[in-house]
Amino acid sequence: MATCQRNILRSHLFSGTDMGQTSFIFLMSAVFLRGATVMIGEKCKDYESERTFSIHGEAAFLNCMLAKAHVFNYSVTPYNISWYDRRTGRQLFGETGRIQVQKSMLWFLTTTLEDAGYYQCVLRTPDQCFQQTSMLIVNETMAEYCQHPVTETQELTIVSNDFLVCKITLPFMASKDTIQWYKKASGVSAAQSCELIQKGEKYGSAGERSLLVQNVSPSDEGFHTCRLNFTLSGAVGYMAMTIYLKVRDEWNLKPKMIKPNNEEIEATCGSPFSDICQVHVPGRGNNTVVVSWWREKKDVGPELISSNSSVRVHQAFKRKEKGENEEKLELVLRFTEVKEEDFSYTYVCVVHSDKGGVRGNLTLKRSYPDLPTHIALVFLGLVLLFTMGTVAYQLLKIDLALWCRGSFPCLYPRPGADGKAYDVYVLYPGMCDVGSCGRSLAEAFALHTLPQVLERRCGYKLFIFGRDSLPGETMVDSIRDNIAKSSHFLLLYTASTFSEWGGAGGDGHLLFAQQTGMHCALVEETLRVLLVELEKVTDFSTFPESLLHLRRKQGALEWWRLGGAGEQQLRPSSRFWKQVRYRLPPQGRCGACPERATLLNV
């Protein structure tokens, strides 16, 4: 019956038959009354109404939401859906044109202000009826496509590259053609036209419905509108939505995995083991980064590792360090005891964030005893121990030798056991057989300091020419005989000693004694020589070659550097006297006056 009435109405509206205004009104009234009678006569269950917003000139669609499981068993019960205009009670038909009915949807391909109002969908089954009312709200066009009455706010952060998402939902029966983006900066009046966004250095594509905004800055804040063009049953329409881009002075970039990085680490079965996942998150402000350890193996899905510390294999958050433009995260993977089964897994540190995710893999490798390595370590240890011992000996050998001499005198030969009458033959510049020389540094040291320490306090027997030579004895015989009677030859010199000895007024006896002592020491090897440098020497051009050779070979005792001052000059425990005593034969404990010292003529 309803079909017949629709055909009659169409024939009268579009045929060439002349029809009066009264007949037309009558027919329209009949159709309205029929639709109203159907809706009033049926007892349909009402469901919650829906609202849809649109802009004049844009497309909109109303969706009947009654074919749901909570309404009836739509999967087995046959049903049909009808749409009605509540303002007129007229049923809406057609799958082409500006207004279309497509399955459960009522489409307006180009909305007008007159389309605003209530529309009702009725779902009928053989024995039931359900209805739902939808309200279409149509607004005036505002500044082309740049700002709609209903907007959505999306936040982006400075410095980073981020994207806006066009959240227009297009039903399956409509095919998407293109998406265009427009921008109107915040504060610009609605009367001003907006700009079409061109893809380039600033903007790009980040997916089918996303606009990539590169290096976000405060100037990017404002209204952005996406316009989706589509085709439905051969007709073209478009839908748009406005996004207000809000820029935050907080930013974060994609996390960086520092460790692990596809690593293979040795672990010993039965021993504890741990490793760290290190993640750097560039950014300022709070971030939404989640770090976790997983394990996986072939034919087995990924398994989240427990954070319970009582479990044998567990993960534990170690540290979170916040910098000015970076945050560092560390998560520990810990094995209280490594078992054989652990070597078959791959351990993955997974990082999730709103800027993307990263992951790093770690596998365990069995460690076996490395005999060559152990041998090398033992050898290196011995070398190190020997080196340390050698260094310690060089630093402490004098103190150790003197301590042993004083503590264990029975281990050393008795004084005079070598048949020598004197321990030291002292040769110094300025010696005179007539006592006419002035009191020089060398003479003061030889006649005062040496006897005071070595003879009176340490018990050594010294031969000092002029002090110990016999009256009437010739100089040459005295020098030769007494050097032969001495076990050590002590030569005192200053910077000018050998220039004086070799000059026109030089002392030939001193030069003879020096040459004799050097001959015994270097050629005959029957005498040990001690060189004592009383003052700093910088010019060795006048020094005898034999003395320079001996100085290079065994060095010289530097009184000017180690002798000290005041009472320290006469203290046997000072560094200088320790070196002198070390080079002389053992003579008992220093500090006491042995009996042999009382026999000396000092």
Side-chain angles (χ1 to χ4, degrees):
M1 181 66 181
T3 304
C4 181
Q5 288 178 343
R6 286 197 302 272
N7 293 333
I8 294 173
L9 177 60
R10 289 171 182 169
S11 64
H12 282 282
L13 286 175
F14 300 105
S15 67
T17 305
D18 185 18
M19 186 176 209
Q21 185 177 5
T22 303
S23 300
F24 176 76
I25 295 175
F26 175 77
L27 289 174
M28 291 294 295
S29 300
V31 172
F32 172 77
L33 291 175
R34 172 60 181 166
T37 302
V38 171
M39 289 188 292
I40 295 173
E42 292 178 309
K43 294 182 179 180
C44 297
K45 184 177 180 180
D46 281 313
Y47 279 84
E48 184 179 357
S49 61
E50 300 285 339
R51 285 187 177 187
T52 300
F53 292 89
S54 183
I55 298 294
H56 175 69
E58 291 185 2
F61 62 87
L62 307 178
N63 192 9
C64 187
M65 307 296 291
L66 295 175
K68 300 293 182 181
H70 70 277
V71 177
F72 72 103
N73 191 359
Y74 69 94
S75 61
V76 297
T77 304
Y79 66 90
N80 63 74
I81 295 176
S82 303
W83 279 97
Y84 299 91
D85 187 342
R86 285 286 301 272
R87 299 169 300 178
T88 62
R90 179 171 62 92
Q91 185 175 356
L92 302 174
F93 301 94
E95 295 182 352
T96 60
R98 189 179 71 86
I99 300 177
Q100 299 182 17
V101 177
Q102 297 280 353
K103 297 186 180 297
S104 64
M105 294 183 180
L106 176 63
W107 282 84
F108 299 84
L109 291 182
T110 306
T111 57
T112 64
L113 296 177
E114 290 73 18
D115 292 329
Y118 291 94
Y119 297 85
Q120 188 176 54
C121 71
V122 178
L123 186 149
R124 297 181 179 89
T125 67
D127 54 0
Q128 288 181 294
C129 177
F130 309 96
Q131 64 184 17
Q132 182 183 39
T133 301
S134 298
M135 181 179 182
L136 175 62
I137 302 173
V138 182
N139 294 277
E140 291 282 359
T141 303
M142 300 182 66
E144 291 293 323
Y145 315 109
C146 282
Q147 186 174 348
H148 283 55
V150 180
T151 63
E152 176 182 299
T153 299
Q154 295 184 20
E155 291 188 349
L156 303 184
T157 58
I158 63 171
V159 177
S160 63
N161 296 338
D162 214 331
F163 51 88
L164 299 176
V165 180
C166 185
K167 299 181 180 179
I168 298 176
T169 302
L170 194 64
F172 69 91
M173 69 278 297
S175 59
K176 178 181 73 67
D177 292 334
T178 59
I179 291 183
Q180 295 173 307
W181 287 87
Y182 299 83
K183 176 185 178 182
K184 181 172 75 71
S186 178
V188 178
S189 64
Q192 294 178 337
S193 61
C194 56
E195 298 179 354
L196 175 65
I197 292 177
Q198 302 291 340
K199 305 295 176 62
E201 293 183 359
K202 184 63 180 178
Y203 298 98
S205 298
E208 190 178 62
R209 293 174 180 248
S210 299
L211 175 68
L212 175 65
V213 184
Q214 303 184 76
N215 194 19
V216 178
S217 64
S219 62
D220 296 323
E221 188 164 299
F223 293 98
H224 294 67
T225 299
C226 63
R227 171 174 169 168
L228 175 63
N229 303 303
F230 67 91
T231 302
L232 179 67
S233 299
V236 177
Y238 72 89
M239 303 176 72
M241 70 170 292
T242 296
I243 302 169
Y244 181 74
L245 168 57
K246 183 177 180 181
V247 177
R248 294 198 313 265
D249 192 15
E250 295 181 357
W251 57 275
N252 56 84
L253 304 179
K254 184 178 179 179
K256 299 178 181 178
M257 177 66 68
I258 306 301
K259 182 183 179 183
N261 189 13
N262 299 325
E263 300 176 3
E264 187 178 45
I265 301 180
E266 289 188 349
T268 304
C269 194
S271 300
F273 174 83
S274 64
D275 198 52
I276 297 178
C277 175
Q278 294 179 331
V279 181
H280 288 191
V281 186
R284 183 192 306 161
N286 297 324
N287 61 60
T288 55
V289 178
V290 179
V291 185
S292 57
W293 277 103
W294 296 70
R295 67 178 184 178
E296 56 187 26
K297 64 179 178 179
K298 189 177 182 180
D299 301 329
V300 178
E303 176 186 356
L304 178 65
I305 295 177
S306 174
S307 58
N308 186 353
S309 59
S310 62
V311 179
R312 182 180 64 85
V313 182
H314 61 273
Q315 58 179 319
F317 190 77
K318 182 180 180 182
R319 186 176 63 176
K320 184 176 183 180
E321 182 179 337
K322 184 71 174 177
E324 182 179 359
N325 292 319
E326 184 180 50
E327 187 170 8
K328 299 179 181 178
L329 306 176
E330 289 188 0
L331 188 66
V332 180
L333 173 64
R334 183 174 290 120
F335 296 75
T336 56
E337 180 186 359
V338 177
K339 292 188 176 181
E340 187 67 27
E341 64 187 60
D342 299 327
F343 296 102
S344 61
Y345 285 94
T346 298
Y347 300 89
V348 185
C349 181
V350 180
V351 182
H352 292 287
S353 77
D354 56 348
K355 300 301 179 185
V358 291
R359 54 183 284 164
N361 296 342
L362 167 69
T363 55
L364 300 183
K365 182 176 67 173
R366 296 175 183 83
S367 63
Y368 299 98
D370 190 353
L371 188 58
T373 301
H374 292 168
I375 293 176
L377 291 176
V378 171
F379 177 75
L380 289 177
L382 293 176
V383 171
L384 181 62
L385 183 63
F386 175 77
T387 303
M388 293 176 61
T390 302
V391 173
Y393 172 74
Q394 292 296 328
L395 295 176
L396 303 175
K397 65 179 180 178
I398 294 178
D399 293 282
L400 290 174
L402 295 179
W403 177 79
C404 290
R405 291 179 185 181
S407 300
F408 309 101
C410 60
L411 300 178
Y412 300 92
R414 294 176 60 83
D418 57 357
K420 301 289 186 178
Y422 302 101
D423 295 313
V424 182
Y425 184 97
V426 180
L427 176 65
Y428 65 95
M431 292 193 309
C432 299
D433 55 349
V434 293
S436 61
C437 296
R439 197 72 153 172
S440 63
L441 172 62
E443 186 178 3
F445 185 84
L447 298 179
H448 174 69
T449 305
L450 277 176
Q452 185 75 9
V453 177
L454 295 182
E455 287 184 335
R456 295 178 183 175
R457 303 191 65 175
C458 295
Y460 288 100
K461 187 174 182 180
L462 309 179
F463 180 87
I464 302 175
F465 185 82
R467 186 197 72 168
D468 301 315
S469 57
L470 298 176
E473 189 177 18
T474 64
M475 181 74 69
V476 174
D477 293 337
S478 175
I479 290 173
R480 182 185 296 111
D481 293 343
N482 288 300
I483 287 179
K485 295 177 182 179
S486 303
S487 61
H488 289 72
F489 182 77
L490 192 150
L491 174 60
L492 305 175
Y493 64 88
T494 63
S496 59
T497 295
F498 298 99
S499 61
E500 294 174 353
W501 288 3
D507 194 333
H509 299 296
L510 296 179
L511 182 58
F512 174 75
Q514 178 260 329
Q515 292 175 348
T516 302
M518 291 300 168
H519 179 81
C520 294
L522 299 176
V523 179
E524 298 180 1
E525 297 183 352
T526 59
L527 190 67
R528 294 183 180 181
V529 180
L530 277 74
L531 303 179
V532 177
E533 197 168 280
L534 297 176
E535 62 184 15
K536 187 175 182 180
V537 180
T538 57
D539 182 11
F540 294 92
S541 60
T542 59
F543 279 51
E545 186 62 34
S546 59
L547 187 139
L548 291 176
H549 170 75
L550 194 62
R551 189 178 187 275
R552 286 192 296 267
K553 181 179 179 181
Q554 67 179 37
L557 303 178
E558 298 173 338
W559 168 256
W560 57 272
R561 188 170 64 89
L562 304 175
E567 295 182 358
Q568 188 178 5
Q569 292 184 343
L570 302 177
R571 189 175 301 162
S573 60
S574 67
R575 291 179 61 191
F576 176 80
W577 292 113
K578 282 184 178 180
Q579 293 190 20
V580 173
R581 291 159 49 203
Y582 174 74
R583 288 167 173 79
L584 295 178
Q587 201 67 27
R589 295 177 181 271
C590 280
C593 294
E595 296 179 358
R596 209 174 86 169
T598 62
L599 302 176
L600 300 176
N601 181 18
V602 295

